[in-house]
Amino acid sequence: MLAYLTGIRLARARALLLSSDEAVSQIAHRAGYEDPSTFTALFKQHHGQTPSAYRKSSAGAFTATGRMLNGTST
């Protein structure tokens, strides 16, 4: 159950990182994490990079309509 919830929260965080310019701490809260440090550590554990690095490396992945360039969405 916890793994499922973590997956849902991280998917929301990934979408927010790519579709907004909100601070990582704000995205952490919107994804359901009270502590941004915990969120960052968990994100890095699951994705191999920090949320900020993920945002930078994935910049431009969404079109103006919010859909991924490859036709899928996270």
Side-chain angles (χ1 to χ4, degrees), residues 7-64:
I8 297 296
R9 287 177 170 176
L10 291 177
R12 176 156 171 76
R14 286 192 312 272
L16 290 168
L17 286 164
L18 297 179
S19 64
S20 77
D21 60 353
E22 290 182 75
V24 171
S25 60
Q26 183 63 30
I27 289 173
H29 284 105
R30 288 186 63 189
Y33 293 95
E34 291 185 26
D35 181 15
S37 297
T38 299
F39 164 70
T40 297
L42 190 60
F43 192 97
K44 187 172 182 179
Q45 178 183 355
H46 282 261
H47 300 295
Q49 56 188 343
T50 64
S52 296
Y54 177 84
R55 175 183 270 165
K56 287 178 186 175
S57 69
S58 300
F62 275 84
T63 65

